[in-house]
Amino acid sequence: MVTRLHLFIIIALSILLTSVVLIMYTQQREREFLDNQLVVQQAMVDGAARDIQYRLNEQSRLVALFSDEYRRQINQLTYHPGDQYIAAIINKRLQERFPYVDSFSITSTSGEPIIDDFEGNIGDVCKRDISSFSTEVKRLHNPTTVHNAIFIHPQAGRYHYDIMSPVWNAANQQYVFLVSFKPDSLQHILKTREIPGYKLLLTKLYDSSLIEVSGEGTRDIIGRDGRLSKTELMSIKASKSIPNTEWSLINLQDPTYEQSYINKLWKEAGGILLIVIITNLLVFMIFSTRIKYAEIRNRQQQNKTYPWVKH
């Protein structure tokens, strides 16, 4: 006959077995979630990097075509930099052809401005970039295969990046036709590629803590420190450098996102275990009562059958 002790052992073993199964299952779900998040993060970064690379390659190709199409007007400006009529035509055509154009410039191969929209304020970094680009064009003798290294030029109020194309005037002197773009299109790519709990950032390739562009804009307007903290740098699990740029695309996760989901998994397991415990306690109470009454009936029956036996 099953006693209440036997019943208690069965119920306890049932709860213990359920607990072990739930712990193992929840740990497995946690591992699968974390592994899946790594895959998701890298896929998100790879997809956004492809979009940005395609956008920049297309802009480079179209700027080269534009400089070839308007080479006569550009040549004229190299001889007559003050010709505002020609400059206005080129600027108007650029605005019509390219979204997010900020300005254009024509410079010497050393970066000295022939004509520009920055009031002569071409910084040293930009000049070095122009000089490196021009040197590479001369070295390869094939301008179609040369791309300038793209990065954000942090000019106050006019953060931009440059796309360059080599041009030659009638005297076969080399110049650089430079188109500056607002980073809005890159910002849009980052924003549309993001998923909840994660943020895509373009950071400086050789200064990994420096933010260049985010889904909210350039580092001067994003409403946070323009540099990643050490904790943020250590949390990065997915990144990809973008060819022909000085950028690395990273994924920055919300530090509470993964932990909140893991906590949810364990709360679910705890809820299931609580239901199992309550159910088993109810079963124990019901069957324990039945066993108790069965024992009482047995004693009463024994008293009737064997009245001389004392219990």
Side-chain angles (χ1 to χ4, degrees), residues 151-257:
F151 57 92
I152 291 295
H153 296 261
Q155 188 173 25
R158 295 179 71 173
Y159 275 49
H160 64 277
Y161 63 91
D162 296 333
I163 302 288
M164 303 178 192
S165 178
V167 292
W168 288 264
N169 65 9
N172 203 33
Q173 294 175 305
Q174 183 182 334
Y175 293 89
V176 175
F177 179 67
L178 179 153
V179 181
S180 298
F181 290 91
K182 302 170 187 176
D184 299 50
S185 61
L186 308 181
Q187 173 187 340
H188 179 70
I189 291 172
L190 297 176
K191 194 68 176 176
T192 54
R193 280 284 185 172
E194 287 175 350
I195 61 175
Y198 299 100
K199 186 175 291 295
L200 291 170
L201 300 172
L202 282 174
T203 60
K204 199 78 170 176
L205 186 61
Y206 305 112
D207 185 3
S208 58
S209 69
L210 185 63
I211 299 171
E212 292 272 77
V213 186
S214 76
E216 284 69 45
T218 49
R219 63 175 172 271
D220 59 325
I221 60 171
I222 58 178
R224 57 150 291 163
D225 189 357
R227 286 189 176 274
L228 299 174
S229 66
K230 290 182 179 179
T231 302
E232 288 173 326
L233 286 170
M234 291 176 64
S235 72
I236 296 170
K237 298 177 182 176
S239 63
K240 190 177 183 65
S241 59
I242 300 177
N244 302 319
T245 74
E246 292 186 7
W247 290 330
S248 178
L249 179 60
I250 67 163
N251 177 64
L252 189 65
Q253 62 183 15
D254 181 344
T256 64
Y257 176 71

Side-chain angles (χ1 to χ4, degrees), residues 75-178:
N75 275 338
Q76 188 169 340
L77 282 177
T78 63
Y79 289 107
H80 306 287
D83 192 331
Q84 296 299 315
Y85 175 73
I86 296 297
I89 290 176
I90 293 176
N91 187 60
K92 181 181 178 182
R93 294 293 182 264
L94 282 170
Q95 298 293 336
E96 292 171 348
R97 299 277 184 91
F98 298 94
Y100 310 116
V101 162
D102 184 60
S103 61
F104 81 95
S105 303
I106 300 173
T107 75
S108 68
T109 56
S110 62
E112 295 300 324
I114 306 301
I115 179 172
D116 71 87
D117 288 346
F118 290 99
E119 300 177 353
N121 187 24
I122 294 181
D124 291 338
V125 174
C126 189
K127 287 180 180 179
R128 286 197 298 270
D129 188 30
I130 294 170
S131 179
S132 297
F133 172 75
S134 301
T135 300
E136 193 68 5
V137 169
K138 291 177 181 177
R139 185 180 73 83
L140 295 178
H141 306 290
N142 185 1
T144 61
T145 62
V146 180
H147 300 274
N148 62 293
I150 297 173
F151 57 92
I152 291 295
H153 296 261
Q155 188 173 25
R158 295 179 71 173
Y159 275 49
H160 64 277
Y161 63 91
D162 296 333
I163 302 288
M164 303 178 192
S165 178
V167 292
W168 288 264
N169 65 9
N172 203 33
Q173 294 175 305
Q174 183 182 334
Y175 293 89
V176 175
F177 179 67
L178 179 153

